[in-house]
Amino acid sequence: MEKISGSLWSVRMRASRKGKKRRLSGGKSGEEKAIHVSGAEGLYASCEIPRIVDGYLKRAINHPRGLPDTITLTIEKVNEEPLAIPLLPVSTIVCQSPHEARRVICSLLSEAGLSREVIERGIRIAAGNEVMRGASLIRSVSGIRAEPDTLRGVRVSRLGIERSSERRLSRGLARGGINTSTVKEAVVLASKVASCGGVVAELCISDDPHYTTGYVASAGLGYVRVTKIKDPGSMSGGRIFFVEEKADVSPIIDYLEKIPVIATLPPRDRVSR
Ligand code: AMP
């Protein structure tokens, strides 16, 4: 395995814009709620930091969700040795409409063991207008939301990909014409989520109005892209991590947010099918 040499750094970007002040009773105006514009995170070698920061800033300023008024960059040295986790295999299901895409999502998530009611609740939250910075955690049987902060959600961080695996992933994705940072970053994120004990499956609908391909992922299903999951121009989107009904969510959140991981392709594994 070709490691990223030297110590690793966690680089995170968050871009937001102040929303309208909410009206309180008595005509007073209340707090402004920050609207999520974009975010990005990864683990990198120190020599990569300037290039990554430049890319993240360009992304924050040029995002199709509009201009932010605050951009926060956090760059921290990571002292722990990252855990090696398997990179999920990538596949695509081509759909002709959001209606068909929802049927596909339902069948994939029921294959992962979820009931129709819980899946529909997940889709409602992921496709809703309340865009969160992180993901919502939903219990697999009751459908109860389990994240401590339902406005922010749980933000997966401290994740990277091993160098030779990244080259192989890029080659595989290029064969399908999808070798973009959007897809690569999402595969790494989904691989970290799928490697987390207590997580059953993930559903993602992008909040980017130009990006209409979503995905369903789990250790068993792999990373399954589902096209035409929403109509072009829609600013809604979200991520759902379905968790085991009785799971204690604190260690799950701690792993997803804080434990450093590096995703690696097993030798001769498929990247794309
Ligand atoms: P994106 O795929 O970047 O358009 O993100 C879609 C939605 O996923 C966002 O609106 C967030 O709610 C959520 N999200 C994005 N990045 C993360 C992350 N690192 N961890 C958890 N949730 C995320």
Side-chain angles (χ1 to χ4, degrees):
M1 174 164 122
E2 203 182 324
K3 279 192 167 175
I4 300 175
S5 55
S7 3
L8 284 176
W9 290 74
S10 159
V11 184
R12 287 184 286 148
M13 178 278 288
R14 172 157 70 92
S16 62
R17 182 171 61 241
K18 284 194 190 73
K20 287 201 184 93
K21 287 196 174 177
R22 278 179 300 158
R23 267 279 150 80
L24 296 177
S25 55
K28 288 187 198 152
S29 54
E31 271 176 42
E32 292 165 335
K33 180 177 171 280
I35 298 169
H36 168 77
V37 175
S38 71
E41 48 276 293
L43 288 176
Y44 300 99
S46 57
C47 61
E48 296 173 292
I49 295 175
R51 175 178 62 83
I52 297 301
V53 166
D54 184 56
Y56 282 2
L57 288 177
K58 284 186 178 129
R59 193 185 303 191
I61 286 169
N62 299 316
H63 203 277
R65 289 179 60 76
L67 257 188
D69 56 24
T70 306
I71 302 171
T72 310
L73 273 173
T74 310
I75 304 172
E76 293 166 301
K77 187 156 173 259
V78 171
N79 295 317
E80 311 96 290
E81 182 71 16
L83 295 174
I85 58 155
L87 191 74
L88 292 177
V90 179
S91 60
T92 301
I93 299 180
V94 176
C95 297
Q96 301 308 324
S97 66
H99 181 71
E100 185 188 349
R102 279 174 195 226
R103 265 199 286 123
V104 167
I105 291 169
C106 281
S107 102
L108 289 166
L109 289 172
S110 46
E111 215 182 295
L114 297 166
S115 70
R116 186 158 191 105
E117 294 74 49
V118 170
I119 297 168
E120 277 172 3
R121 180 156 163 73
I123 295 176
R124 264 200 309 280
I125 296 169
N129 293 325
E130 286 287 320
V131 171
M132 297 157 72
R133 177 143 64 94
S136 177
L137 303 183
I138 294 189
R139 295 203 181 271
S140 61
V141 178
S142 60
I144 288 172
R145 279 178 84 159
E147 71 275 21
D149 181 342
T150 51
L151 291 177
R152 176 187 181 274
V154 175
R155 185 90 198 175
V156 183
S157 193
R158 300 200 163 204
L159 64 174
I161 180 166
E162 184 262 339
R163 285 257 164 79
S164 63
S165 301
E166 181 173 16
R167 287 195 293 269
R168 286 173 57 206
L169 175 66
S170 294
R171 282 199 296 274
L173 295 177
R175 282 196 289 277
I178 49 168
N179 186 24
T180 63
S181 56
T182 307
V183 177
K184 281 198 279 189
E185 287 175 13
V187 179
V188 175
L189 189 152
S191 301
K192 181 169 186 184
V193 176
S195 73
C196 178
V199 173
V200 177
E202 176 185 356
L203 164 67
C204 175
I205 301 178
S206 178
D207 57 36
D208 180 329
H210 303 325
Y211 195 73
T212 58
T213 300
Y215 71 82
V216 169
S218 75
L221 295 167
Y223 175 92
V224 188
R225 302 171 65 248
V226 181
T227 68
K228 293 210 174 69
I229 208 163
K230 67 173 191 178
D231 288 320
S234 159
M235 298 275 265
S236 348
R239 264 190 170 82
I240 310 293
F241 303 154
F242 296 95
V243 296
E244 285 167 5
E245 183 60 25
K246 298 266 181 308
D248 175 0
V249 293
S250 323
I252 293 181
I253 296 171
D254 189 65
Y255 176 78
L256 296 174
E257 294 192 336
K258 305 219 177 80
I259 304 295
V261 302
I262 293 288
T264 306
L265 265 176
R268 286 179 284 110
D269 197 8
R270 286 163 308 183
V271 169
S272 187
R273 58 184 143 110

